[in-house]
Amino acid sequence: TDVPAQMTHRQAARKAVAMCVSDFAAKGVEPQSYLVSLGLPRGFPDDGVVQLSKGFKDASTEWNLKLLGGDTNEASELVVDCVMLGFTRKFVPRSGAKAGQYVVVSGYFGYSPSGLRILDGASADPTFKKKAVQSVLEPKPKLQLGVALSKYLSSSIDSSDGLAICLHTIASMSGVGIMVNELPCRDELVRFAERNGLSFEELVL
C-alpha cells in the first residue's frame, strides 16, 4: 500500500521521506537531515535509480533537509528506508493526554484509503479523485503547523496508521478514554462512500 503500481519511483522516494517528516511534525520537531537505505531488485532500471534520486532531491528541497548518505543492497522488491535526524529540548509525547482535553486533528480524514480504492478501480467524481489519489501518491505532511502547535499539545501522534489506531494508542499510553462525537470528514467523502457501497466511517477511521 505504500507504493501502489501507479506510483512513480520519484514519488516513492519523496513519500518515504515525507512519512518521516510527518512523524517529526507530530512531535513538533524540525528535521535536519536523513539517511537512506535502498533495496533494489536485480535488473532494476537505470532510469529508476535516477528517478529515485530526483525524489530525494524533491524532498530535500521541500523540507530543507540534508541527505547524509546511506546504503544499497539487493532485494526481492523495491525497499526505501529512511532514518531522519533532528534535535530539540522537548517533544510532544504520546502519553500525555488527560481527562477533559479535546482531540484536535490537522485536517480531514478518509482521503488516503479512498485514494487506494480509486487506484484499484473505485468510481469517483474528478475533483474528489484528484485529491484522494494525490494524498496517496504525494502526501503533504503539515510540518510547520505541527511545530507551531506543539507547545499547546499534551499528547500527539502521526495519523498515517489510521485515526482509530492512533486514538487508541494515545488513550492506552495515557491511561484515558477518548470519546469521538464528530468524525473529521467532508460531505464529498460520504458521497464517494455511498457511490461505491462503502462505509464512510470505516474510511475515516
Side-chain angles (χ1 to χ4, degrees), residues 5 8 11 13 19-20 37 44 84 126 134 153-154 162 168 178 201:
T8 67
Q11 289 172 328
M19 292 165 72
C20 290
S37 292
F44 191 77
M84 190 162 283
Q134 188 176 47
L153 304 177
S154 63
H168 182 269
I178 293 178
E201 293 97 339

Side-chain angles (χ1 to χ4, degrees), residues 16 36-41 52 56 71 73 75-81:
V36 175
S37 292
L38 288 178
L40 302 176
L52 287 172
F56 295 132
D71 194 15
N73 212 323
S76 59
E77 58 185 359
L78 175 64
V79 178
V80 184
D81 178 59

Side-chain angles (χ1 to χ4, degrees), residues 20 24 27 44 46 48 60 67 76 80 84 99 103 107 110 122-123 143 152 162 173 181 187 201 205:
C20 290
F24 271 66
K27 300 294 100 181
F44 191 77
D46 291 349
S60 299
L67 176 54
S76 59
V80 184
M84 190 162 283
V103 175
S123 173
L143 177 60
Y152 305 108
M173 293 186 70
N181 296 310
D187 291 342
E201 293 97 339
L205 292 168

Side-chain angles (χ1 to χ4, degrees), residues 45-61:
D46 291 349
D47 183 62
V49 177
V50 172
Q51 293 304 312
L52 287 172
S53 69
K54 288 183 177 179
F56 295 132
K57 184 176 181 180
D58 291 341
S60 299
T61 301

Side-chain angles (χ1 to χ4, degrees), residues 1-4 6-19 22 51 54-55 58-59 62-63 111-112 115-116 119 129-142:
T1 56
D2 282 337
V3 186
Q6 298 87 340
M7 179 179 282
T8 67
H9 292 126
R10 185 169 183 167
Q11 289 172 328
R14 181 195 167 276
K15 184 175 181 180
V17 181
M19 292 165 72
S22 184
Q51 293 304 312
K54 288 183 177 179
D58 291 341
E62 187 171 350
W63 294 295
Y111 287 96
S112 293
L116 286 171
L119 290 173
K129 179 179 179 179
K130 182 178 179 180
K131 283 194 277 189
V133 170
Q134 188 176 47
S135 73
V136 176
L137 301 182
E138 298 178 1
K140 300 191 182 302
K142 300 182 175 81

